[in-house]
């Protein structure tokens, strides 16, 4: 599917990989809805894109992906402001690390596990189901295609580290959902792919001490540096334009395999 002229929804677009994806899609000619629970940062990104590419190219939409009323309102705002969306990039997510048995011998709080799965897995599914239902109503494009959606998993779906049970389970859920969702939505001409990133230089990562960042970078076979958000965005846009990519999970990690800890 061409990107030029189409409307894209990007969750988590106020920061990091989501912001880079929104910027790349706008550069390639899309109108982009910046969906994020952080409205202030979403407005910053939208204003920058409108300044760079002209008014009406980006719109900030406050959205908590775990809250159906919030998602419904954000999708309606995006539709009213930018038109029907054919592209959905699910990038919003949160991290977490908790030992099952805590230092004091107590069990890890269940709330932590629930919260991470609620945002990373159920939240992404929530946006996707609402997007898919709307997209399935649109007229088909050339070749019968109606739209495309992307999930953002993590290499932790495959080689999660000590303490990453919740995070790995949430990202593994996205990996498991990719093929059945692609099969389900095939009848509507909507493709579904997932990117599983390794270690990327986003604000989250840049908060770590420089020495820790260097150690992490050194664990990547090649290139021995953190991934650039633009490299994620480049692959995300390829998922849109390469019409034969469907039902697949793509690792983007410089051949990294995470150690147990
Ligand atoms: N940075 C990495 O190295 C890395 C590696 C693997 C996977 N990932 C995944 O990539 C995605 C983006 O990560 P990032 O590093 O850019 O993080 P980030 O913290 O820079 O950005 C995440 C964005 O998601 C938003 N968000 C969080 N919860 C939300 C919710 N409930 N509703 C709406 N928006 C919400 C935040 O406000 C933020 O703007 C996440 O899903 C993360 O798990 C990142």
């Amino acid at each position: 599917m061409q990107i030029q002229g189409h409307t894209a929804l990007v969750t988590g677009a106020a920061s990091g990989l989501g912001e880079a994806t929104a910027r790349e899609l706008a550069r390639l000619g899309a109108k982009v809805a910046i969906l994020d629970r952080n409205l202030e940062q979403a407005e910053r990104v939208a204003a920058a894109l409108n300044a760079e590419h002209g008014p009406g190219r980006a719109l900030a939409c406050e959205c908590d992906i775990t809250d159906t009323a919030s998602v419904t309102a954000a999708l309606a705002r995006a539709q009213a402001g930018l038109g029907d969306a054919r592209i959905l990039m699910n990038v919003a997510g949160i991290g977490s690390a908790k030992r099952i048995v805590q230092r004091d011998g107590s069990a890890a709080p269940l709330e932590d596990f629930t919260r991470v799965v609620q945002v990373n897995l159920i939240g992404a599914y929530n946006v996707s189901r609402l997007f898919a239902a709307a997209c399935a109503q649109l007229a088909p494009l050339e070749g019968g295609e109606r739209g495309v959606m992307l999930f953002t998993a993590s290499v932790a779906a495959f080689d999660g580290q000590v303490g990453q049970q919740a995070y790995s389970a949430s990202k593994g859920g996205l990996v498991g959902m990719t093929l059945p969702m692609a099969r389900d939505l095939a009848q509507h001409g909507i493709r579904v792919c997932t990117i599983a990133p390794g270690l990327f230089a986003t604000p989250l990562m840049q908060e770590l001490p420089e020495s820790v960042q260097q150690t992490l970078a050194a664990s990547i076979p090649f290139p021995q540096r953190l991934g650039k958000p633009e490299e994620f965005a480049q692959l995300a846009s390829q998922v849109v334009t390469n019409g034969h990519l469907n039902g697949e999970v793509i690792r983007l990690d410089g051949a990294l395999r995470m150690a147990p800890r």
Side-chain angles (χ1 to χ4, degrees), residues 134-196:
C135 189
Q137 301 300 318
L138 303 180
L141 302 170
E142 195 190 340
E145 189 168 31
R146 284 194 172 80
V148 55
M149 69 168 97
L150 177 87
F151 292 110
T152 306
S154 162
V155 294
F158 309 101
D159 30 82
Q161 298 187 296
V162 164
Q164 283 196 306
Q165 293 81 6
Y167 187 69
S168 295
S170 68
K171 297 301 189 180
L174 296 174
V175 167
M177 200 159 76
T178 304
L179 182 63
M181 201 177 264
R183 287 173 161 172
D184 190 328
L185 293 175
Q187 62 185 310
H188 301 293
I190 300 171
R191 292 183 294 111
V192 183
C193 280
T194 292
I195 298 177

Side-chain angles (χ1 to χ4, degrees), residues 11-19 35-39 41-42 62-67 70 90-95 118-120 123 152-156 167 170-171 174 195-205 226-227 229 232:
T11 74
S15 175
L17 303 184
E19 177 177 346
L35 272 61
D36 205 288
R37 68 177 175 190
N38 186 335
L39 181 59
Q41 286 301 314
E62 187 171 18
C63 176
D64 179 345
I65 61 171
T66 65
D67 178 348
S70 171
N90 287 291
V91 191
I94 56 172
Q118 192 71 41
V119 175
N120 291 356
T152 306
S154 162
V155 294
Y167 187 69
S170 68
K171 297 301 189 180
L174 296 174
I195 298 177
L199 299 168
F200 276 72
T202 64
L204 201 83
M205 196 67 78
L226 300 180
F232 174 90

